[in-house]
Amino acid sequence: MAIRMLTLEDLDLSGKRVFLRVDINTPIHPETGALIEQARLEEAAQTIARLSKSKVVVGSHQGRVGRPDYTSLAKHAEALSGILGKAVSFVPDVFGPEALREIDSMEAGEILVLDNLRFTAEENQEYRPVDAERTFLVSRLKGHVDACVLDAFSTAHRSSPTIVGFAELVPTCAGLTVAKELRMLDKVLGVEKGPYVTVLGGAKVSDRLEAIDALVANNRADRVLLCGVVGLVFLKAAGMYRGSLGIESEQKHVMKARQLIDEDPERFAMPVDVAIKVDGGRRDVDVKSLAGQGAVLDIGPKTVEKYEKFIKGAGTVFMSGPPGAFEWKEFSFGTESLLKAMASSLATTIISGGHLSSALRKYGIHDQVDHISTAGGALVQYLAGRRLPLVDALERASDKWGPRKLQAVSQAEKPGAGRA
Ligand code: 3PG
């Protein structure tokens, strides 16, 4: 279905106060508090640069309440300034008097980063648009901005106030990242190509389990290749790993994995060997002889060989979360091999997340996959055919503010519909 949306071409934003909702939620080093990567900041910087004649008020969330990455955006503002090569101000406030005063005193060409939007209770909730409009967050800010640019594609699945609340209050359009993501996804998903192979790795187990649910429900995961911590959860559920994984809600996740395996055992491929860290180095061990003797940091060569075959036979491959701790040379084998298998396959290939994007650059194959998205959960929901609240907001804004203009973008809204 075509998406009705306005883009930066459609609104004259020069001299205007623009609320720019980006997603610069970035992995944070647990000890130093440093930003670990810049992928989302670099994306956001492109839209900020494009708004060089406006007064740009940047809003983003960072982390989740109670998690170690739930921090202020002061460092993000500094990083943006470095990327843009110009001053970027930061205010440790979101919609209080200090933030509003700073916004009102801005000159055209200036950039102001508000503090973590999730420091407000409301941004942590999901709302219907009409209720989002009435939140303090939106109703206080709306009198101080002339327009809104939605550029947080990776938060497109959250109906939080700053995603869905402004669309009908001030002229609202898509930023460069959102427009690019939707165009690329439309292009690569325009031709439905099965079988669908999903490679899931990394440490975010609950996100990966949610992804499986969404993709399976919409026939977008004929085969799921499990790696990383989620791979261990499935091994444990299958009775092949007995140690403790030391992760939050471990028992719940293991039970969920058990249920998924029981429903369709053929769908899930699990590691047959893994690499553990012993005396500071790599040792490949069969999962049968795995007894919690060292941290599991990669998949082993037999698993790589098995997974490469599935990737070669796929019509579409989606990877979310790295198969191993590729930042360390000894443990990068699995990630490098599977990414290279994707790069050389004839399948439509989609990569999710900044970590994998940096891995692709590291291996020099960044331009050999079809789409690299900075999004995680939002991309999964999109691939699974779910309506995204941010896209709905853009459609409402287009109906209210725009000359009706169908962009050459379709959401491939129901990619699973009609598929076997
Ligand atoms: C993400 O990293 O996927 C987005 O920033 C959304 O974050 P959330 O899952 O905490 O809403």
Side-chain angles (χ1 to χ4, degrees), residues 223-227 265-271 306-307 310:
R223 185 80 60 179
V224 181
L225 313 183
L226 298 153
C227 326
E266 288 302 301
R267 191 189 305 272
F268 299 99
M270 288 176 240
K306 172 175 146 177
Y307 287 3
F310 287 122

Side-chain angles (χ1 to χ4, degrees), residues 185-325:
L185 286 167
D186 182 50
K187 200 166 135 203
V188 298
L189 298 173
V191 180
E192 293 193 0
K193 267 166 66 186
Y196 290 89
V197 170
T198 293
V199 188
L200 296 178
K204 292 180 168 175
V205 177
S206 58
D207 290 13
R208 304 293 174 255
L209 291 171
E210 269 176 36
I212 294 173
D213 272 342
L215 294 168
V216 167
N218 289 280
N219 299 317
R220 287 277 156 165
D222 298 314
R223 185 80 60 179
V224 181
L225 313 183
L226 298 153
C227 326
V229 184
V230 74
L232 296 177
V233 169
F234 273 74
L235 284 173
K236 192 162 174 178
M240 288 191 268
Y241 181 80
R242 292 200 163 68
S244 160
L245 303 173
I247 55 169
E248 209 179 293
S249 312
E250 180 167 329
Q251 199 45 34
K252 189 177 115 202
H253 293 331
V254 170
M255 279 166 64
K256 173 70 185 171
R258 181 70 256 164
Q259 179 204 328
L260 288 164
I261 297 171
D262 287 345
E263 279 165 15
D264 190 348
E266 288 302 301
R267 191 189 305 272
F268 299 99
M270 288 176 240
V272 288
D273 58 350
V274 291
I276 56 172
K277 189 172 182 183
V278 179
D279 298 331
R282 175 183 180 115
R283 183 185 297 167
D284 290 302
V285 292
D286 199 287
V287 292
K288 288 190 200 117
S289 54
L290 193 60
Q293 64 271 57
V296 176
L297 295 176
D298 197 10
I299 48 172
K302 288 187 204 142
T303 308
V304 165
E305 204 183 322
K306 172 175 146 177
Y307 287 3
E308 278 173 345
K309 286 194 187 125
F310 287 122
I311 291 172
K312 286 210 173 79
T316 302
V317 188
F318 167 60
M319 185 187 283
S320 179

Side-chain angles (χ1 to χ4, degrees), residues 17 19 56-58 89-106 112-117 120 137 140-141 144-145:
R17 298 165 301 177
F19 176 69
V56 187
V57 181
V58 180
S89 318
F90 166 73
V91 60
D93 187 14
V94 177
F95 63 81
E98 201 180 342
L100 302 183
R101 214 171 24 246
E102 288 288 330
I103 296 173
D104 291 343
S105 66
M106 288 174 82
L112 172 70
V113 177
L114 301 177
D115 214 338
N116 186 347
L117 298 173
T120 69
L137 175 51
R140 291 264 164 93
L141 282 176
H144 299 261
V145 297

Side-chain angles (χ1 to χ4, degrees), residues 23 25 40 61 63-64 118 154-155 157-158 204 207 375-378:
D23 181 352
N25 180 21
R40 289 182 177 180
H61 68 280
R64 293 184 191 168
R118 287 189 180 166
S154 35
T155 323
H157 56 318
R158 306 278 182 226
K204 292 180 168 175
D207 290 13

